[in-house]
Amino acid sequence: MSTETDDDARRLAELGYKQELKRTWSGFSNFAISFSIISILAGCFTTFGQAWNNGGPVAVAWGWPLISAFILIIGFCMSELVSAYPTAGGIYWWAATMGKPVHGWFTGWLNLIGLIAVTASVDYGAATFLNLTLAALVPGWAGSLNQAFVLFVIILVLHAAINVFGHRIIDVLQNVSVWWHVFGAAAVVLILLLVPQRHQSFEFVFTERFNNSGFGDGIYWFYVLPLGFLLTQYTITGFDACAHVSEETRGASTAAARGLWQSIFYSAIGGWVLLLSFLFAATDVTAINEAYGFSGAIFQTALTPFFYKAVIIISTVGQFFCGMSCVTSASRMAYAFSRDRAVPGWRLWSRVDRNGTPAAAILAVCAAGLLLTLPALYQREGVPVAFYAVVSVAVVGLYLAFGIPIALRLRMGAAFRPGPWTLGRLYKPLCWIAVIEIAVISVYFVLPIVPAGVPFTADFTWSAVNYAPIAVGGVLLLVALWWFLSARRWFTGPRRNV
């Protein structure tokens, strides 16, 4: 065992845990998992329609860098925390340590449901693009909704198998994923710049406004356009993975902190370039509108069949890598939360096999993701409201979980003992900005996405409902009842096992 690994194990023991997971990940691998989960080849492709319909090119070209800057500030705040507390419990551990057990309890459950929703939404998006790929390559493949759901189940099973049995190569696959995203995104940008016979003007890309939401133009700026920002807020999330695999990372106090903010920074730059190439290639606006802003319509109308297939294959593979990383992150959080006895059946979920892999937690996360996505089977034609609802669950759950420890760090002030990576005096303005931004998006992304989802209106239909508030609110209600009726008497936060 190296001196660095000894130091990591010693620091983990100071935080209350013995080294059970294999500490084999490099700093680059730690960065790689968050970069893969952010995955500009996933979010930029699957949720592009949300921005296109709710704001148009302006929501993409200006919304992406604006929201990315706020997310980077959140990332800086979290980097300081993971440097001080490099544990697999991550966010909920920070909350319980800086606050009280109740803070850790709610943070943990929000984080867990957010990570499960991210896993579900990414794998469903991958299934959608794989469905497109098969429809383009296999004669007679219909590309139906039911076929997409079957592919989603298959992808979930594959990701569970890779995470359970691929303990020797999972960190290598994370590294491969980074380079696939870098070179794959570059290839897509070059294809969209060189292959189409014509492109949109700079005026179109940076000033054109659309409102295909169904809501009136009178609420464009304060309701419709912010809904379009879901593209950025969803794509650049899941970066807490750097914390969840910190117990498997060498030099975690600095490597995890650096990996967290850098994964946001580089994804923000790469994603903006990628999305701008989408907009410049979006010359058949009518066809894209008819496809409800689906990014595949851009590639199909602007490219030759060969390059259309190339682009969706690049994206599909990137999304597969992304989903694999999501399962890794979510399972580590489930393992850590169970280790502190917060999850029913905790003895099973906190068990690691002889390879140091939390296999039961991996299977549980995948099964929960499947259940959360079942409403997609009943999706009506048109805007994929069920998919965007899962996306909203992921965003709201995760960012609320991020916000609690950031607010607690703000409350601690000078009493906080930072690790090697620290914000210094900048912590106060940055933490305030982060908390306010999280509060704002947590309201917007539980609101109706389309007019038919507004309750008590003539056009209301349950198939158009954004069920994010039902899912997140339902979980919070159950967790709150559980806390007041039982857990507050036995959940004491992180439990030392050394």
Side-chain angles (χ1 to χ4, degrees):
M1 185 178 289
S2 68
T3 302
E4 184 180 49
T5 305
D6 285 338
D7 291 341
D8 286 322
R10 191 177 302 112
R11 176 57 182 148
L12 185 61
E14 291 173 359
L15 297 174
Y17 301 111
K18 59 185 177 182
Q19 187 72 52
E20 293 181 306
L21 301 172
K22 300 291 185 181
R23 197 176 284 274
T24 58
W25 290 44
S26 66
F28 184 80
S29 296
N30 183 282
F31 157 81
I33 187 170
S34 281
F35 188 78
S36 297
I37 291 176
I38 292 173
S39 183
I40 58 176
L41 291 177
C44 290
F45 284 75
T46 58
T47 52
F48 177 84
Q50 177 70 4
W52 179 272
N53 291 325
N54 295 275
V58 165
V60 180
W62 294 111
W64 180 274
L66 173 66
I67 302 303
S68 294
F70 283 112
I71 297 172
L72 185 59
I73 290 173
I74 294 170
F76 284 146
C77 297
M78 291 174 62
S79 288
E80 182 178 54
L81 294 174
V82 74
S83 180
Y85 310 121
T87 71
I91 300 165
Y92 94 87
W93 200 98
W94 309 340
T97 300
M98 293 186 293
K100 297 178 180 179
V102 65
H103 297 113
W105 176 261
F106 281 93
T107 302
W109 281 106
L110 283 166
N111 194 200
L112 188 55
I113 190 175
L115 288 171
I116 289 170
V118 163
T119 300
S121 59
V122 169
D123 276 5
Y124 190 78
T128 300
F129 269 75
L130 180 57
N131 211 20
L132 273 182
T133 303
L134 293 174
L137 298 177
V138 180
W141 187 273
S144 67
L145 183 66
N146 289 338
Q147 286 174 319
F149 200 86
V150 170
L151 292 173
F152 164 64
V153 174
I154 292 171
I155 290 171
L156 264 181
V157 170
L158 288 174
H159 284 153
I162 291 170
N163 275 273
V164 170
F165 301 110
H167 63 281
R168 294 183 183 276
I169 62 168
I170 192 74
D171 56 331
V172 176
L173 290 175
Q174 304 292 356
N175 297 348
V176 172
S177 174
V178 170
W179 298 116
W180 183 271
H181 279 81
V182 171
F183 291 114
V188 172
V189 170
L190 287 175
I191 288 171
L192 292 175
L193 288 179
L194 300 177
V195 175
Q197 295 182 347
R198 63 189 184 92
H199 292 87
Q200 288 285 10
S201 65
F202 277 86
E203 182 181 7
F204 173 88
V205 170
F206 290 101
T207 66
E208 188 71 22
R209 293 189 289 122
F210 294 155
N211 180 9
N212 298 333
S213 66
F215 294 106
D217 288 335
I219 57 173
Y220 174 87
W221 291 106
F222 67 88
Y223 188 82
V224 175
L225 183 62
L227 288 180
F229 295 160
L230 182 61
L231 162 66
T232 316
Q233 205 77 57
Y234 166 68
T235 302
I236 310 181
T237 195
F239 42 82
D240 55 316
C242 290
H244 297 310
V245 297
S246 60
E247 289 185 30
E248 297 162 80
T249 303
R250 299 187 297 272
S253 291
T254 53
R258 188 169 56 246
L260 197 153
W261 76 261
Q262 286 182 350
S263 65
I264 298 171
F265 179 76
Y266 291 117
S267 295
I269 294 173
W272 196 42
V273 174
L274 182 64
L275 287 167
L276 289 178
S277 73
F278 287 12
L279 293 176
F280 279 111
T283 51
D284 194 339
V285 174
T286 300
I288 299 167
N289 285 338
E290 289 175 353
Y292 301 95
F294 179 53
S295 62
I298 297 175
F299 316 135
Q300 198 163 23
T301 55
L303 302 174
T304 63
F306 172 82
F307 285 107
Y308 163 70
K309 294 171 187 176
V311 167
I312 59 174
I313 289 172
I314 289 170
S315 175
T316 301
V317 175
Q319 291 177 54
F320 186 86
F321 277 127
C322 175
M324 175 193 71
S325 301
C326 289
V327 172
T328 304
S329 177
S331 63
R332 270 39 173 196
M333 194 278 156
Y335 155 80
F337 205 32
S338 299
R339 181 173 60 183
D340 292 328
R341 305 183 183 182
V343 182
W346 61 268
R347 286 185 176 86
L348 178 59
W349 318 129
S350 62
R351 189 179 302 161
V352 296
D353 62 20
R354 61 184 179 181
N355 299 314
T357 302
I362 291 168
L363 297 176
V365 162
C366 291
L370 174 61
L371 290 174
L372 185 62
T373 317
L374 284 176
L377 280 171
Y378 305 98
Q379 177 62 47
R380 67 185 190 136
E381 294 299 319
V383 178
V385 177
F387 171 74
Y388 289 142
V390 178
V391 167
S392 296
V393 171
V395 169
V396 174
L398 284 179
Y399 277 97
L400 280 176
F402 299 166
I404 294 171
I406 292 174
L408 290 170
R409 190 271 175 267
L410 191 60
R411 188 182 70 171
M412 284 188 73
F416 175 78
R417 294 180 59 187
W421 198 100
T422 176
L423 293 173
R425 294 180 179 179
L426 289 175
Y427 85 88
K428 188 171 289 185
L430 294 182
C431 286
W432 269 115
I433 292 171
V435 169
I436 292 170
E437 201 266 350
I438 289 169
V440 170
I441 65 162
S442 297
V443 172
Y444 269 106
F445 297 148
V446 298
L447 298 174
I449 297 170
V450 292
V454 179
F456 312 113
T457 59
D459 297 329
F460 175 79
T461 173
W462 279 104
S463 64
V465 167
N466 176 3
Y467 62 89
I470 300 173
V472 177
V475 167
L476 282 177
L477 179 61
L478 290 174
V479 167
L481 288 173
W482 189 8
W483 173 259
F484 288 109
L485 295 177
S486 174
R488 63 192 175 95
R489 290 191 287 270
W490 50 263
F491 181 74
T492 57
R495 290 174 175 262
R496 301 181 68 92
N497 62 14
V498 293

